[in-house]
Amino acid sequence: MTSPEGASVRARLFDADRPDERLEPDRAFETKPTDHQLLWVDVTGEVAADLAARLAPMIDLQPRTLRHLAQASEAPHVALHRDCLHVRIAADPSDRDRTPTAWLDVIAGRNVVITHHDRPVTFLDDVDSRIERDATAGSLSDAAFFTIVVDAAIASYHVAVDAIEEDVDRLDADALRGATSGKALGELVRCRRRIARLRRLLADHRSVFTALGSPELGSVIEEPDEAALVAGLAAHFEGALSAVEESREALLGSFDVYMTQTAQRTNDVMKVLTLTTVLLLPGSMIAGLLGMNVIVPLNKDDPTSFWIVVAAIAVLAVAIVAVARARRWL
């Protein structure tokens, strides 16, 4: 649904006593949910002044919060107000340098949750679809729904890590099969950059999730169980950050495998060159001795002498190869 201000707005009213209901934007802005209801308003696009003015009374949004919604800065943010909790986090992050990352604002107040993002966020559709099928969703509190949305954002971090690990596993398989090409090193470098970019993005969120796990949260969320639920998001985030670190370790392992395969190919080449040199050395020595200006056992004027020398060189070559195979040098 598109609001008059141009931003895309969708709203759902969850009710513990009756089925949930989709609301038109105008009706959603006028709805005052009771303690048995939860109103979710999701905004996609730019928050103009008119739209901000209609959102503000729903949770008594602070001017600073409204500025954050209007500016849509690409940086994590957390604010613990007396009547609401506001976080701004990356959503569906991309590890690709050229793909922009969506930023998601989640504001939870009494019986109302507002989400805002500058571009479509896939996992919000999944959350909407999943909760719509849940008959008990109407009993969700604002803190519980806040946790569901933020936890879904953390899950999207794991999806980005999984994409990197799939590429790392593919490079590992190619290296173990010996099917690496000259582009393998470039792919490893690109994976390293992707991991570094994702890690920097998540590291910037540490202050946000540290605040969610701090004792200050009790001043915003009065129910201890709900406060513990939100505080648990910090542990989930640390799990995502650890997954990024593990992917970096896996990449280092892939680099070791690549370097081992490269060294093995170098050893194979050197083995062939060394064997070729050893095979030709006796022939060179024999030819050198026979070319000396002295009397030799063979008649220089007899063509048979040439074939005797060639046969001797061949016998020596076969003997050298046999000794190398017996000693498992080949």
Side-chain angles (χ1 to χ4, degrees), residues 41-293:
V41 178
D42 181 50
V43 181
T44 304
E46 182 180 356
V47 177
D50 293 343
L51 179 57
R54 302 187 72 178
L55 291 173
M58 301 180 70
I59 311 182
D60 191 19
L61 297 180
Q62 301 294 319
R64 184 174 62 174
T65 302
L66 294 175
R67 286 196 300 270
H68 274 285
L69 291 178
Q71 293 172 355
S73 61
E74 295 186 356
H77 171 76
V78 59
L80 305 178
H81 300 297
R82 184 185 63 180
D83 299 323
C84 70
L85 173 62
H86 173 213
V87 298
R88 181 174 177 79
I89 55 177
D92 282 340
S94 172
D95 55 289
R96 307 287 183 179
D97 293 338
R98 297 182 180 180
T99 304
T101 297
W103 287 87
L104 173 67
D105 288 287
V106 187
I107 307 172
R110 186 171 183 82
N111 303 323
V112 178
V113 175
I114 298 174
T115 56
H116 167 254
H117 37 98
D118 51 354
R119 55 180 59 87
V121 175
T122 304
F123 65 77
L124 285 181
D125 296 332
D126 297 336
V127 169
D128 187 22
S129 177
R130 183 173 73 249
I131 294 180
E132 183 181 14
R133 295 192 300 267
D134 189 352
T136 64
S139 60
L140 282 175
S141 65
D142 48 83
F145 192 79
F146 174 91
T147 303
I148 290 174
V149 174
V150 176
D151 202 35
I154 296 174
S156 71
Y157 304 159
H158 285 281
V159 172
V161 175
D162 291 343
I164 295 174
E165 290 182 345
E166 287 180 4
D167 289 342
V168 172
D169 290 342
R170 176 179 56 80
L171 291 173
D172 274 348
D174 291 342
L176 292 173
R177 291 198 309 267
T180 55
S181 63
K183 298 180 180 179
L185 183 59
E187 292 183 7
L188 287 171
V189 172
R190 282 191 290 272
C191 282
R192 178 67 180 86
R193 290 175 179 171
R194 292 165 59 189
I195 292 173
R197 181 176 183 273
L198 185 59
R199 186 183 182 281
R200 286 195 301 269
L201 178 66
L202 297 192
D204 291 341
H205 287 68
R206 275 202 176 108
S207 60
V208 171
F209 289 95
T210 299
L212 293 180
S214 68
E216 299 176 6
L217 194 64
S219 62
V220 181
I221 304 176
E222 298 178 355
E223 294 295 332
D225 293 342
E226 295 181 355
L229 193 65
V230 175
L233 292 171
H236 296 175
F237 170 75
E238 289 299 329
L241 197 57
S242 298
V244 177
E245 296 290 350
E246 291 172 2
S247 68
R248 183 167 64 173
E249 294 297 327
L251 181 65
L252 292 177
S254 298
F255 182 76
D256 290 339
V257 172
Y258 170 77
M259 293 304 297
T260 300
Q261 288 291 339
T262 301
Q264 181 62 40
R265 287 196 300 271
T266 302
N267 289 338
D268 293 340
V269 172
M270 293 305 299
K271 184 187 297 183
V272 172
L273 294 177
T274 301
L275 181 61
T276 302
T277 302
V278 172
L279 291 177
L280 295 178
L281 182 60
S284 301
M285 182 184 68
I286 292 174
L289 291 175
L290 294 179
M292 296 176 64
N293 193 21

Side-chain angles (χ1 to χ4, degrees), residues 12-21 32-40 111 131 134-142:
R12 184 184 291 275
L13 181 65
F14 301 100
D15 197 315
D17 301 323
R18 58 177 60 89
D20 62 340
E21 181 182 3
K32 302 296 182 183
T34 66
D35 289 339
H36 295 282
Q37 296 175 326
L38 174 66
L39 176 61
W40 174 33
N111 303 323
I131 294 180
D134 189 352
T136 64
S139 60
L140 282 175
S141 65
D142 48 83

